[in-house]
């Protein structure tokens, strides 16, 4: 597996210190130090493979660590804070990611219906993110996928097959149940995902948990239990983090004042906004925004 890992590192070494497109649908890569504020974001459903260095993801109250021996799967949109480190020997952080398409997973599941065991029916809530050890078969599929960067004429014909193979290898591992949940209609995770869509769309509006539970077609108690299991936070905490991340963008990219940003994302009190912002990001909003903008200018 070391040979495969070294080849992946060589292929992905052309990435920049931001999400870098590969020319392959849904596949991106990154290298080096990423600005801290960009690591606090809403992450899309993905399979993320670390090639060099290490990373931690803080989602709600949970912190997961992973390194080149691991891969990370996120099955719903989640506001999270990432932290990355270079390798102990000094080489920069390096990773590749595949954004998950539920329709592709559903098609794969349909094709494999007779070859995959039927999952046991359970009321247990399934988490929406996790880390597992990478296998040689999964690594091999990634190698063939990234080789396509040097053969762009082959991408249309071969990338879909390699993507299905990556998903198939994930389905065979401990994340298999997670992929099944997001691609199967009417599962608890699919219902929570519908509520997440509502929160992301209407984050600046009051959203009683009863309304969200109705959208998810669950009782309030069941919805709250499943939502927290999937996201590691309550619906209110999720909405708050979405609001604060959006406000950070308004302060830095749009140049909004603290009061204007607070009201734009749904806060009725600029004081409460500033207090919660500082608790989330470690600095009051004006100071945090000034620090980020100064970093842009230096870069």
């Amino acid at each position: 597996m070391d040979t495969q890992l070294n080849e992946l590192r060589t292929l992905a070494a052309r990435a920049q210190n931001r999400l870098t497109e590969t020319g392959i649908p849904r596949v991106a890569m990154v290298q080096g130090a990423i600005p801290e504020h960009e690591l606090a974001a809403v992450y899309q459903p993905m399979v993320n493979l670390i090639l060099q260095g290490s990373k931690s993801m803080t989602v709600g109250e949970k912190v997961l660590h992973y390194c080149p021996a691991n891969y990370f799967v996120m099955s719903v949109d989640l506001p999270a804070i990432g932290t990355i480190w270079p390798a102990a020997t000094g080489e920069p952080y390096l990773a590749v990611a595949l954004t998950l398409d539920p329709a592709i997973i559903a098609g794969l599941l349909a094709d494999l219906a007779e070859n995959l065991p039927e999952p046991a029916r359970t009321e247990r809530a399934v988490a929406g993110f996790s880390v597992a050890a990478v296998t040689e078969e999964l690594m091999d599929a990634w190698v063939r996928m990234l080789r396509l960067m040097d053969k762009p004429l082959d991408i249309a014909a071969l990338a879909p097959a390699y993507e299905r193979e990556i998903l198939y290898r994930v389905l065979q591992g401990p994340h298999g149940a997670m992929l099944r949940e997001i691609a199967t209609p009417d599962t608890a995770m699919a219902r929570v995902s519908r509520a997440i869509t509502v929160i992301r769309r209407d984050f600046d509006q009051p959203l009683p948990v009863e309304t969200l539970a109705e959208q998810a077609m669950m009782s309030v108690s069941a919805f709250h239990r499943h939502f927290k299991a999937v996201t590691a936070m309550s619906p209110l905490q999720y909405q708050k983090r979405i609001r604060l991340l959006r406000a950070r963008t308004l302060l830095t990219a749009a140049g909004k004042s603290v009061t204007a940003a607070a009201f734009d994302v749904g806060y009725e009190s600029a004081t409460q906004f500033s207090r919660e912002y500082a608790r989330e990001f470690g600095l009051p909003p004006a100071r945090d925004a000034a620090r980020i903008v100064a970093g842009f200018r230096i870069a």
Side-chain angles (χ1 to χ4, degrees):
M1 199 153 61
D2 287 345
T3 300
Q4 296 165 312
L5 183 56
N6 287 334
E7 182 175 355
L8 282 173
R9 287 168 175 165
T10 299
L11 289 165
R14 65 196 75 179
Q16 303 173 44
N17 62 339
R18 57 180 173 78
L19 204 61
T20 304
E21 298 300 328
T22 61
I24 305 166
R26 290 173 292 284
V27 177
M29 54 191 178
V30 66
Q31 178 178 212
I34 307 169
E36 168 270 331
H37 66 277
E38 293 183 11
L39 289 167
V42 181
Y43 289 79
Q44 291 181 300
M46 63 176 174
V47 177
N48 187 223
L49 177 63
I50 299 294
L51 306 177
Q52 200 163 258
S54 59
K55 185 174 185 176
S56 70
M57 291 289 286
T58 302
V59 185
E61 299 171 353
K62 293 186 178 180
V63 181
L64 298 178
H65 300 277
Y66 57 126
C67 61
N70 306 129
Y71 67 101
F72 178 87
V73 175
M74 184 173 285
S75 60
V76 295
D77 292 350
L78 286 175
I81 297 175
T83 304
I84 62 172
W85 297 272
T89 49
E91 289 86 359
Y93 170 80
L94 193 63
V96 292
L98 170 67
T99 300
L100 295 175
D101 184 332
I104 294 174
I105 301 170
L108 179 60
L109 287 172
D111 291 342
L112 297 173
E114 296 181 0
N115 298 320
L116 288 175
E118 183 69 20
R121 295 293 177 185
T122 176
E123 289 299 313
R124 182 181 62 84
V126 177
F129 56 98
S130 188
V131 171
V134 69
T135 63
E136 186 173 350
E137 292 81 6
L138 178 58
M139 191 84 77
D140 187 57
W142 269 110
V143 169
R144 281 179 279 116
M145 178 69 92
L146 286 198
R147 282 176 182 164
L148 292 177
M149 290 191 296
D150 295 322
K151 297 182 178 179
L153 295 181
D154 292 348
I155 289 174
L158 298 179
Y162 298 157
E163 180 175 7
R164 281 168 60 91
E165 182 176 356
I166 289 171
L167 296 173
Y168 174 66
R169 298 305 178 190
V170 175
L171 279 167
Q172 290 181 310
H175 294 321
M178 199 187 302
L179 290 198
R180 286 176 179 271
E181 285 273 318
I182 66 173
T184 305
D186 212 34
T187 61
M189 188 177 291
R191 293 183 182 193
V192 167
S193 184
R194 289 200 293 270
I196 284 173
T197 299
V198 173
I199 297 174
R200 294 205 61 190
R201 184 190 66 210
D202 301 331
F203 67 91
D204 58 342
Q205 303 297 317
L207 288 172
V209 69
E210 292 82 4
T211 300
L212 294 171
E214 184 178 347
Q215 289 285 338
M217 294 184 291
M218 292 180 177
S219 68
V220 171
S221 60
F223 171 70
H224 196 278
R225 182 176 74 255
H226 283 286
F227 193 98
K228 190 155 190 180
V230 169
T231 68
M233 61 195 91
S234 70
L236 180 61
Q237 289 170 325
Y238 187 103
Q239 182 187 31
K240 182 190 297 184
R241 283 174 169 81
I242 294 291
R243 285 180 168 183
L244 292 173
L245 287 167
R246 176 58 180 161
R248 204 182 206 188
T249 299
L250 292 174
L251 290 165
T252 56
K256 291 264 188 176
S257 69
V258 171
T259 300
F263 291 155
D264 281 357
V265 300
Y267 278 85
E268 297 180 357
S269 164
T271 301
Q272 180 187 0
F273 164 73
S274 295
R275 183 169 58 248
E276 293 185 353
Y277 187 105
R279 189 179 302 126
E280 183 76 9
F281 299 123
L283 286 173
R287 288 175 56 194
D288 183 56
R291 176 184 63 86
I292 292 171
V293 170
F296 285 149
R297 289 171 183 157
I298 292 171

